[in-house]
Amino acid sequence: MKKIIAVSSLVFILTLYNYPIFNDKKITFAAIFLCFFVIIFSTAKLYFPSDKEDYDSVEKEMDRLYNDNGIFQYTDEGFYVKQKNITEFIKWDEINTVNRFAFPVKPYGGQSGLEVITDQKNYEFNDKTTSGILKLTDQLYNNLPNCKIDSPTIRVNNFGLEKTKLYERKPPQ
């Protein structure tokens, strides 16, 4: 990249020094414009490299995240959660509510995650610290009826906690 900038700068300077080239102003202007264009974009590419993430690398990372079980193990009846050397089984039938929560304010560092509420216990899984949460979200959508992605978000408290109810078990009728 630096060689391209050096060559373009040299051609630019020589073009300005030998103005006009071939006794034609159009060729001179084209050469000056081309050199200027190459210098500007090469410098921008050199000092501000584009995202190192292209489509393929993003797809590979998303595939890896969606296939990562993390602390979860799934069965047809529910899933196991292993936290602090304790493994608990949560049945799909026992889940009352699933909420998506987010702390967008600064003190909490933009934390977000899932809250799973059962008859016996409440579970909170943070996006940053819980490995396998993307696959858990996918499994919840697949195994819980009436799970809604586009539910409205509600602000819960003054600290900026926002909750989105993704699923709520319907009472028997």
Side-chain angles (χ1 to χ4, degrees):
M1 197 61 64
K2 292 179 182 180
K3 291 178 184 178
I4 293 173
I5 294 171
V7 169
S8 297
S9 298
L10 182 65
V11 170
F12 184 70
I13 291 169
L14 290 174
T15 304
L16 289 176
Y17 180 71
N18 295 322
Y19 186 80
I21 300 176
F22 303 117
N23 295 327
D24 188 3
K25 289 185 179 181
K26 290 181 182 176
I27 294 175
T28 305
F29 286 136
I32 290 171
F33 178 74
L34 183 64
C35 289
F36 188 68
F37 181 80
V38 169
I39 291 169
I40 294 296
F41 283 101
S42 297
T43 304
K45 181 77 171 170
L46 183 65
Y47 288 107
F48 303 105
S50 65
D51 292 336
K52 292 182 178 24
E53 300 175 347
D54 58 348
Y55 180 78
D56 291 333
S57 65
V58 171
E59 278 296 312
K60 286 179 185 176
E61 179 64 17
M62 290 308 294
D63 288 343
R64 185 191 67 76
L65 289 173
Y66 275 110
N67 292 326
D68 180 20
N69 284 337
I71 63 169
F72 306 102
Q73 186 178 6
Y74 304 98
T75 66
D76 291 338
E77 294 82 34
F79 61 97
Y80 292 95
V81 180
K82 184 175 183 180
Q83 291 179 320
K84 300 176 185 173
N85 296 329
I86 299 172
T87 303
E88 297 180 64
F89 184 70
I90 302 171
K91 292 184 178 181
W92 302 120
D93 304 8
E94 293 177 356
I95 297 175
N96 292 332
T97 308
V98 177
N99 295 316
R100 181 104 180 122
F101 66 86
F103 285 107
V105 293
K106 200 73 164 168
Y108 298 102
Q111 292 182 15
S112 60
L114 287 175
E115 176 185 37
V116 178
I117 302 171
T118 65
D119 294 329
Q120 294 82 18
K121 192 173 177 182
N122 295 355
Y123 301 90
E124 285 189 9
F125 307 112
N126 188 330
D127 282 348
K128 293 181 181 175
T129 59
T130 306
S131 61
I133 195 162
L134 282 179
K135 188 165 184 178
L136 172 65
T137 305
D138 194 39
Q139 291 291 322
L140 289 170
Y141 287 131
N142 292 336
N143 290 298
L144 297 176
N146 305 322
C147 204
K148 298 177 186 175
I149 300 172
D150 57 351
S151 300
T153 300
I154 301 167
R155 187 171 177 166
V156 176
N157 61 20
N158 290 337
F159 295 110
L161 173 64
E162 296 175 349
K163 282 193 176 183
T164 304
K165 189 171 286 192
L166 301 177
Y167 170 77
E168 186 170 30
R169 184 176 8 163
K170 304 281 186 208
Q173 297 177 359

